[in-house]
């Protein structure tokens, strides 16, 4: 299968150099939306010959739902891998994903994510690859589509042997996560 990468970035030059630069060429194409970075993020993307789109946020919402959906719409490929700038997939794992035999009714894939902030890696799962035509984001960027898709019995698959590595900065990540949870609960108490 052909697989495009979708990312939203803001002031992510350091993470792009550390992670993105090592695997982005394994994808068939890349769509990056920059939400008005103040560091050298855009210049760094240009140096890699990555076309990026500037998108000014219309309100104070930090959950980026509209921007995420736009990044998906800008992809031409049926299958889109959604990563954050602090996430990393090994090149050989991307190649393995592209060789998966896909049921035409498949909606999305999720994989194991290792969070490397703690002394012992924390394991969770994240929806990473979606069918562009069938999946849209509704509330919180990561949580709500997963809940919606699972509850609706759409066809999905877990990628057992592929690992997504997560290297967030602990303090920033914690503050953002708390804000996302508060916003999600206020809009959708069952989220």
């Amino acid at each position: 299968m052909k697989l495009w990468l979708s990312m939203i970035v803001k002031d992510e030059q350091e993470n792009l150099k550390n992670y993105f630069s090592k695997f982005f060429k394994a994808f068939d194409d890349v769509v990056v939306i920059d939400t008005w970075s103040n560091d050298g993020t855009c210049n760094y993307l240009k140096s890699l010959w990555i076309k990026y789109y500037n998108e000014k946020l219309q309100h104070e919402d930090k959950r980026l739902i509209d921007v995420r959906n736009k990044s998906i719409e800008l992809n031409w490929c049926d299958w889109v891998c959604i990563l954050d700038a602090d996430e990393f997939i090994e090149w050989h794992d991307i190649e393995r994903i592209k060789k998966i035999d896909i049921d035409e009714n498949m909606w999305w894939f999720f994989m194991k994510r290792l969070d490397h902030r703690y002394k012992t890696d924390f394991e969770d799962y994240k929806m990473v690859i979606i069918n562009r035509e069938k999946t849209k984001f509704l509330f919180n960027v990561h949580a709500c589509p997963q809940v919606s898709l699972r509850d609706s019995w759409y066809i999905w698959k877990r990628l057992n042997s592929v690992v997504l590595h997560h290297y967030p900065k602990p303090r920033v990540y914690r503050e953002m996560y708390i804000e996302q949870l508060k916003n999600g609960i206020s809009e959708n108490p069952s989220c």
Side-chain angles (χ1 to χ4, degrees):
M1 77 167 145
K2 288 198 177 292
L3 183 62
W4 280 37
L5 174 63
S6 168
M7 292 183 77
I8 299 171
V9 297
K10 180 173 184 176
D11 296 333
E12 294 287 2
Q13 180 181 4
E14 183 181 328
N15 280 331
L16 292 173
K17 285 181 178 178
N18 290 337
Y19 310 119
F20 175 79
S21 63
K22 297 176 182 159
F23 66 83
F24 78 93
K25 289 184 180 178
F27 289 94
D28 294 297
D29 210 337
V30 176
V31 170
V32 177
I33 295 187
D34 177 74
T35 56
W36 297 94
S37 291
N38 295 308
D39 67 354
T41 295
C42 295
N43 288 333
Y44 183 69
L45 289 168
K46 280 184 203 174
S47 76
L48 298 175
W49 297 94
I50 298 290
K51 179 169 176 43
Y52 63 91
Y53 302 86
N54 283 116
E55 186 71 20
K56 188 164 187 170
L57 300 179
Q58 301 301 315
H59 46 77
E60 291 300 309
D61 186 4
K62 302 278 194 261
R63 288 163 294 149
L64 306 171
I65 297 114
D66 293 337
V67 178
R68 177 69 76 200
N69 284 330
K70 181 172 183 177
S71 77
I72 294 165
E73 291 165 11
L74 289 169
N75 281 276
W76 298 345
C77 199
D78 288 340
W79 291 97
V80 180
C81 180
I82 298 168
L83 296 181
D84 296 331
D86 61 358
E87 294 176 328
F88 176 82
I89 299 179
E90 297 285 348
W91 185 298
H92 65 272
D93 282 338
I94 297 166
E95 292 298 328
R96 287 172 53 203
I97 292 168
K98 290 166 67 174
K99 292 178 183 170
I100 293 172
D101 186 28
I102 298 176
D103 180 320
E104 66 183 38
N105 297 311
M106 190 83 60
W107 281 61
W108 60 288
F109 294 84
F110 74 99
M111 68 178 68
K112 179 168 58 176
R113 178 172 68 172
L114 290 181
D115 192 328
H116 298 286
R117 287 178 290 165
Y118 309 105
K119 289 180 182 177
T120 305
D121 291 341
F122 175 76
E123 181 180 312
D124 66 356
Y125 290 85
K126 178 183 175 184
M127 180 178 70
V128 177
I129 300 171
I130 63 166
N131 183 308
R132 181 179 69 94
E133 294 296 323
K134 297 179 179 179
T135 308
K136 295 291 181 251
F137 289 83
L138 305 173
F139 299 103
N140 277 354
V141 165
H142 296 307
C144 285
Q146 296 180 57
V147 172
S148 169
L149 292 169
R150 283 191 295 242
D151 289 350
S152 301
W153 295 96
Y154 294 123
I155 298 174
W156 55 271
K157 184 173 186 174
R158 183 171 66 197
L159 301 173
N160 290 320
S161 59
V162 179
V163 177
L164 173 67
H165 298 277
H166 192 209
Y167 295 92
K169 293 180 180 174
R171 179 179 212 133
V172 173
Y173 181 79
R174 178 181 164 80
E175 292 166 4
M176 289 175 54
Y177 186 65
I178 289 169
E179 183 179 349
Q180 286 179 349
L181 285 175
K182 286 180 181 176
N183 289 333
I185 290 168
S186 69
E187 286 186 17
N188 182 2
S190 65
C191 178

